mmCIF file of all heavy atoms in Angstrom:
data_model
loop_
_atom_site.group_PDB
_atom_site.id
_atom_site.type_symbol
_atom_site.label_atom_id
_atom_site.label_comp_id
_atom_site.label_asym_id
_atom_site.label_seq_id
_atom_site.Cartn_x
_atom_site.Cartn_y
_atom_site.Cartn_z
ATOM 1 N N GLN A 24 -0.460 15.218 -10.059
ATOM 2 C CA GLN A 24 0.946 15.324 -10.478
ATOM 3 C C GLN A 24 1.244 14.137 -11.438
ATOM 4 O O GLN A 24 2.356 13.907 -11.746
ATOM 5 C CB GLN A 24 1.840 15.207 -9.183
ATOM 6 C CG GLN A 24 1.745 16.488 -8.310
ATOM 7 C CD GLN A 24 2.562 16.342 -7.085
ATOM 8 O OE1 GLN A 24 3.155 15.248 -6.778
ATOM 9 N NE2 GLN A 24 2.390 17.259 -6.167
ATOM 10 N N GLY A 25 0.144 13.438 -11.855
ATOM 11 C CA GLY A 25 0.383 12.336 -12.824
ATOM 12 C C GLY A 25 0.699 10.965 -12.199
ATOM 13 O O GLY A 25 1.160 10.072 -12.932
ATOM 14 N N ASN A 26 0.435 10.839 -10.992
ATOM 15 C CA ASN A 26 0.684 9.539 -10.159
ATOM 16 C C ASN A 26 -0.630 9.029 -9.738
ATOM 17 O O ASN A 26 -0.974 9.188 -8.604
ATOM 18 C CB ASN A 26 1.698 9.713 -9.115
ATOM 19 C CG ASN A 26 3.010 10.184 -9.583
ATOM 20 O OD1 ASN A 26 3.563 9.564 -10.584
ATOM 21 N ND2 ASN A 26 3.643 11.325 -9.077
ATOM 22 N N PRO A 27 -1.406 8.449 -10.669
ATOM 23 C CA PRO A 27 -2.741 7.958 -10.183
ATOM 24 C C PRO A 27 -2.934 6.747 -9.388
ATOM 25 O O PRO A 27 -3.927 6.456 -8.750
ATOM 26 C CB PRO A 27 -3.465 7.667 -11.626
ATOM 27 C CG PRO A 27 -2.327 7.256 -12.459
ATOM 28 C CD PRO A 27 -1.094 8.003 -11.948
ATOM 29 N N TYR A 28 -1.804 5.835 -9.305
ATOM 30 C CA TYR A 28 -1.840 4.592 -8.634
ATOM 31 C C TYR A 28 -1.192 4.569 -7.176
ATOM 32 O O TYR A 28 -0.270 5.205 -7.030
ATOM 33 C CB TYR A 28 -1.293 3.452 -9.378
ATOM 34 C CG TYR A 28 -1.965 3.130 -10.611
ATOM 35 C CD1 TYR A 28 -1.438 3.669 -11.862
ATOM 36 C CD2 TYR A 28 -3.076 2.362 -10.656
ATOM 37 C CE1 TYR A 28 -2.178 3.526 -13.033
ATOM 38 C CE2 TYR A 28 -3.831 2.180 -11.909
ATOM 39 C CZ TYR A 28 -3.318 2.582 -13.096
ATOM 40 O OH TYR A 28 -3.922 2.348 -14.248
ATOM 41 N N LEU A 29 -1.925 3.878 -6.222
ATOM 42 C CA LEU A 29 -1.178 3.701 -4.991
ATOM 43 C C LEU A 29 -0.138 2.521 -5.116
ATOM 44 O O LEU A 29 -0.686 1.404 -5.487
ATOM 45 C CB LEU A 29 -2.243 3.367 -3.867
ATOM 46 C CG LEU A 29 -1.648 2.943 -2.592
ATOM 47 C CD1 LEU A 29 -0.849 4.052 -1.883
ATOM 48 C CD2 LEU A 29 -2.593 2.406 -1.656
ATOM 49 N N ARG A 30 1.055 2.806 -5.026
ATOM 50 C CA ARG A 30 2.037 1.713 -5.018
ATOM 51 C C ARG A 30 2.401 1.138 -3.713
ATOM 52 O O ARG A 30 2.738 1.913 -2.924
ATOM 53 C CB ARG A 30 3.295 2.183 -5.775
ATOM 54 C CG ARG A 30 4.367 1.085 -5.874
ATOM 55 C CD ARG A 30 5.721 1.436 -6.624
ATOM 56 N NE ARG A 30 5.299 1.695 -7.965
ATOM 57 C CZ ARG A 30 4.977 0.802 -8.994
ATOM 58 N NH1 ARG A 30 5.138 -0.491 -8.556
ATOM 59 N NH2 ARG A 30 4.774 1.008 -10.205
ATOM 60 N N ILE A 31 2.254 -0.125 -3.631
ATOM 61 C CA ILE A 31 2.572 -0.808 -2.417
ATOM 62 C C ILE A 31 3.618 -1.815 -2.750
ATOM 63 O O ILE A 31 3.641 -2.596 -3.698
ATOM 64 C CB ILE A 31 1.333 -1.684 -1.831
ATOM 65 C CG1 ILE A 31 0.275 -0.574 -1.633
ATOM 66 C CG2 ILE A 31 1.666 -2.410 -0.568
ATOM 67 C CD1 ILE A 31 -1.132 -1.240 -1.426
ATOM 68 N N GLY A 32 4.743 -1.855 -1.850
ATOM 69 C CA GLY A 32 5.890 -2.749 -2.153
ATOM 70 C C GLY A 32 6.545 -3.219 -0.901
ATOM 71 O O GLY A 32 6.241 -2.847 0.222
ATOM 72 N N ALA A 33 7.540 -4.056 -1.018
ATOM 73 C CA ALA A 33 8.219 -4.666 0.071
ATOM 74 C C ALA A 33 9.728 -4.881 -0.360
ATOM 75 O O ALA A 33 10.035 -5.178 -1.574
ATOM 76 C CB ALA A 33 7.628 -6.047 0.425
ATOM 77 N N ARG A 34 10.568 -4.727 0.547
ATOM 78 C CA ARG A 34 12.041 -4.900 0.289
ATOM 79 C C ARG A 34 12.662 -5.848 1.419
ATOM 80 O O ARG A 34 12.177 -5.793 2.568
ATOM 81 C CB ARG A 34 12.841 -3.501 0.426
ATOM 82 C CG ARG A 34 12.566 -2.577 -0.780
ATOM 83 C CD ARG A 34 13.425 -1.364 -0.549
ATOM 84 N NE ARG A 34 12.986 -0.384 -1.611
ATOM 85 C CZ ARG A 34 12.295 0.795 -1.218
ATOM 86 N NH1 ARG A 34 11.970 1.016 0.022
ATOM 87 N NH2 ARG A 34 11.952 1.610 -2.166
ATOM 88 N N GLY A 35 13.591 -6.633 0.985
ATOM 89 C CA GLY A 35 14.189 -7.404 2.071
ATOM 90 C C GLY A 35 13.385 -8.684 2.273
ATOM 91 O O GLY A 35 12.615 -9.168 1.519
ATOM 92 N N GLY A 36 13.730 -9.294 3.500
ATOM 93 C CA GLY A 36 12.982 -10.485 3.930
ATOM 94 C C GLY A 36 13.685 -11.891 3.723
ATOM 95 O O GLY A 36 13.095 -12.899 3.890
ATOM 96 N N GLY A 37 14.886 -11.768 3.359
ATOM 97 C CA GLY A 37 15.611 -13.005 3.196
ATOM 98 C C GLY A 37 16.630 -13.251 4.214
ATOM 99 O O GLY A 37 17.109 -12.256 4.822
ATOM 100 N N CYS A 38 16.874 -14.591 4.547
ATOM 101 C CA CYS A 38 17.972 -14.913 5.632
ATOM 102 C C CYS A 38 17.931 -14.089 7.020
ATOM 103 O O CYS A 38 18.778 -13.529 7.330
ATOM 104 C CB CYS A 38 19.296 -14.635 4.939
ATOM 105 S SG CYS A 38 19.520 -15.715 3.528
ATOM 106 N N GLY A 39 16.633 -13.927 7.490
ATOM 107 C CA GLY A 39 16.572 -13.335 8.715
ATOM 108 C C GLY A 39 16.388 -11.765 8.637
ATOM 109 O O GLY A 39 16.309 -11.128 9.773
ATOM 110 N N VAL A 40 16.440 -11.265 7.565
ATOM 111 C CA VAL A 40 16.334 -9.873 7.371
ATOM 112 C C VAL A 40 14.940 -9.433 7.336
ATOM 113 O O VAL A 40 14.147 -10.063 6.614
ATOM 114 C CB VAL A 40 17.001 -9.401 6.134
ATOM 115 C CG1 VAL A 40 16.856 -7.829 5.895
ATOM 116 C CG2 VAL A 40 18.440 -9.661 6.062
ATOM 117 N N ALA A 41 14.538 -8.571 8.137
ATOM 118 C CA ALA A 41 13.068 -8.068 8.171
ATOM 119 C C ALA A 41 12.588 -7.405 6.881
ATOM 120 O O ALA A 41 13.330 -6.795 6.222
ATOM 121 C CB ALA A 41 12.880 -7.046 9.340
ATOM 122 N N VAL A 42 11.429 -7.641 6.556
ATOM 123 C CA VAL A 42 10.763 -7.126 5.314
ATOM 124 C C VAL A 42 10.485 -5.560 5.689
ATOM 125 O O VAL A 42 9.859 -5.310 6.819
ATOM 126 C CB VAL A 42 9.385 -7.848 4.935
ATOM 127 C CG1 VAL A 42 8.771 -7.031 3.855
ATOM 128 C CG2 VAL A 42 9.789 -9.170 4.519
ATOM 129 N N THR A 43 10.799 -4.733 4.793
ATOM 130 C CA THR A 43 10.386 -3.314 4.891
ATOM 131 C C THR A 43 9.277 -3.090 3.844
ATOM 132 O O THR A 43 9.583 -3.273 2.668
ATOM 133 C CB THR A 43 11.568 -2.358 4.677
ATOM 134 O OG1 THR A 43 12.688 -2.746 5.622
ATOM 135 C CG2 THR A 43 11.264 -0.928 4.779
ATOM 136 N N TYR A 44 8.217 -2.619 4.295
ATOM 137 C CA TYR A 44 7.114 -2.214 3.422
ATOM 138 C C TYR A 44 7.178 -0.775 3.029
ATOM 139 O O TYR A 44 7.661 0.076 3.874
ATOM 140 C CB TYR A 44 5.719 -2.608 4.054
ATOM 141 C CG TYR A 44 5.611 -4.004 4.406
ATOM 142 C CD1 TYR A 44 5.776 -4.477 5.738
ATOM 143 C CD2 TYR A 44 5.331 -5.005 3.427
ATOM 144 C CE1 TYR A 44 5.572 -5.823 6.043
ATOM 145 C CE2 TYR A 44 5.110 -6.163 3.747
ATOM 146 C CZ TYR A 44 5.332 -6.708 4.992
ATOM 147 O OH TYR A 44 5.243 -8.053 5.328
#
Side-chain angles (χ1 to χ4, degrees):
Q24 295 176 4
N26 298 310
Y28 294 99
L29 174 65
R30 177 171 298 281
I31 301 166
R34 293 185 188 104
C38 298
V40 176
V42 174
T43 301
Y44 298 103

